[in-house]
Amino acid sequence: MYAKTVENVTNLAVDNIYYNLKKQEKEAINDLMQYVEANSDQMEKDITSCTENVKTATEAAEKASKKIARSVERFRRVKTFKDLLYYASPVLVAVDIILRVVALVAHSQ
């Protein structure tokens, strides 16, 4: 009878410990999942923002490259130093804009 009583009490204690551990494990996993979800959402927002910045920079670079192509075409007609100065100005401005956009994108990452 004593052995049966001890066995019952032991079973109750082990069951109680098991279910408490199981409950704590479930709570810990839920907390971890909430943390991971919050961080994932923030990473997704950051990636979206970065993608938009790169898209904007790419569009600006494409526009600048078209302007450069037109300016380069004009360079073929350069005959005097005055012509060189006249046609070089837009190209240098376009190159400056491209370099600033690239530096801005590189700095934002």
Side-chain angles (χ1 to χ4, degrees):
M1 175 127 168
Y2 174 74
K4 197 139 190 106
T5 303
V6 169
E7 182 181 346
N8 287 340
V9 170
T10 304
N11 284 340
L12 286 174
V14 169
D15 284 347
N16 201 12
I17 291 171
Y18 171 77
Y19 288 114
N20 282 334
L21 285 174
K22 190 173 181 180
K23 180 181 173 185
Q24 289 175 355
E25 178 185 34
K26 188 174 183 177
E27 289 174 1
I29 288 174
N30 286 338
D31 291 344
L32 179 63
M33 290 305 294
Q34 288 174 355
Y35 174 77
V36 168
E37 186 177 328
N39 282 342
S40 296
D41 290 344
Q42 185 59 43
M43 280 193 239
E44 184 178 350
K45 289 176 186 176
D46 292 345
I47 289 170
T48 303
S49 173
C50 183
T51 303
E52 289 299 320
N53 289 340
V54 169
K55 183 179 175 183
T56 303
T58 302
E59 290 171 355
E62 286 176 352
K63 289 178 184 178
S65 67
K66 288 177 184 177
K67 286 184 179 183
I68 290 173
R70 285 193 300 261
S71 295
V72 167
E73 181 61 33
R74 291 180 192 143
F75 269 124
R76 292 181 6 170
R77 297 184 230 149
V78 172
K79 296 192 182 351
T80 65
F81 186 70
K82 182 179 174 184
D83 292 338
L84 179 66
L85 290 176
Y86 177 76
Y87 290 118
S89 303
V91 171
L92 295 175
V93 169
V95 169
D96 181 51
I97 291 171
I98 290 172
L99 292 176
R100 288 175 191 249
V101 168
V102 168
L104 178 66
V105 169
H107 180 68
S108 67
Q109 291 179 355

